[in-house]
Amino acid sequence: MFDVAVFGSLFLTLFVIMDPPGITPIFLALTAGRPGKVQKRMAFQAVCVAGGVIAVFGLLGHQILDYLHVSVPALMIAGGLLLLLIALDLLTGKTDEPKQTKDVNVALVPLGMPLLAGPGAIVSVILAVQKADSVASQVSVWSAILAIHVVLWLVMRYSLLIIRVIKDGGVVLVTRLAGMMLSAIAVQQIINGVTQVIRAG
């Protein structure tokens, strides 16, 4: 009751889209300055939020988008704009000030969504669930979704060890690099959304 090909295909797709190695510097930048226990909790919360969003869209994705009259390209552009705002904060150093972030749970936004559970991951899961026409395929699809979230949690949780090595100065550097990476991801996501709109037109 398990399809290895389906599992492997979706797992690799989600690994590329959700990018566990690439999320590490962004996670470190967004959670910098918080106690270790809080950072570990935020890593778990981010994965839970992403998993919940992915699960809901996997089960009810098309119905939700149709009900809201939202197209996939629109979802991509909106997610890109949100990421761009976060990236600008990282680049300009606004997140360095504790007053601005101490009451904000970045595990929900932008980590959980749209960084982890972004339009790309949502669409991939919707399509994978639709194509799964047997019990074995369905089990494989949901196993792949669970597996990638376990990987994400492990990567973010143990990335905290990096902070002990790079110290405060390194965190500032990582924050700037994360802002640059995140802005590139955001712009590419917007471009992809606009391209799809033009092709559909």
Side-chain angles (χ1 to χ4, degrees), residues 10-11 13-14 17-18 50-51 53-62 116-132 138 141-142 144-146 148-149:
L10 182 57
F11 181 83
T13 299
L14 291 177
I17 293 172
M18 301 175 91
V53 170
I54 291 290
V56 168
F57 275 95
L59 295 170
L60 304 168
H62 271 296
L116 298 181
I122 288 171
V123 172
S124 297
V125 168
I126 290 175
L127 294 177
V129 170
Q130 280 187 331
K131 290 178 183 176
Q138 286 285 348
V141 165
W142 290 104
I145 293 170
L146 178 62
I148 191 63
H149 283 84

Side-chain angles (χ1 to χ4, degrees), residues 1 16 18 20 50-51 90 106 112 128 135 149-151 155 158 169 184 197:
M1 297 295 288
V16 171
M18 301 175 91
L90 292 176
V106 295
V135 175
H149 283 84
V150 170
V151 170
V155 168
Y158 290 102
V197 170

Side-chain angles (χ1 to χ4, degrees), residues 59-181:
L59 295 170
L60 304 168
H62 271 296
Q63 293 90 327
I64 293 172
L65 294 179
D66 289 344
Y67 178 77
L68 297 174
H69 303 290
V70 173
S71 66
V72 172
L75 191 64
M76 295 176 74
I77 294 170
L81 290 172
L82 178 58
L83 289 181
L84 190 57
L85 289 174
I86 302 297
L88 291 174
D89 279 347
L90 292 176
L91 282 169
T92 56
K94 289 185 178 179
T95 55
D96 292 342
E97 299 177 23
K99 290 181 180 179
Q100 293 193 10
T101 57
K102 67 177 182 180
D103 297 324
V104 178
N105 191 349
V106 295
L108 308 181
V109 177
L111 275 175
M113 184 177 181
L115 271 178
L116 298 181
I122 288 171
V123 172
S124 297
V125 168
I126 290 175
L127 294 177
V129 170
Q130 280 187 331
K131 290 178 183 176
D133 52 4
S134 67
V135 175
S137 296
Q138 286 285 348
V139 170
S140 302
V141 165
W142 290 104
S143 296
I145 293 170
L146 178 62
I148 191 63
H149 283 84
V150 170
V151 170
L152 285 165
W153 174 71
L154 289 173
V155 168
M156 286 191 291
R157 190 190 186 288
Y158 290 102
S159 67
L160 300 177
L161 297 174
I162 298 173
I163 291 181
R164 298 177 187 174
V165 177
I166 62 177
K167 307 298 182 183
D168 292 341
V171 169
V172 172
L173 177 60
V174 167
T175 300
R176 299 297 183 271
L177 288 173
M180 190 163 54
M181 290 168 53

Side-chain angles (χ1 to χ4, degrees), residues 31-49:
T31 61
R34 291 177 170 84
K37 288 184 179 179
V38 174
Q39 290 174 316
K40 290 176 183 177
R41 186 173 71 244
M42 292 176 84
F44 182 72
Q45 288 176 336
V47 170
C48 287
V49 169

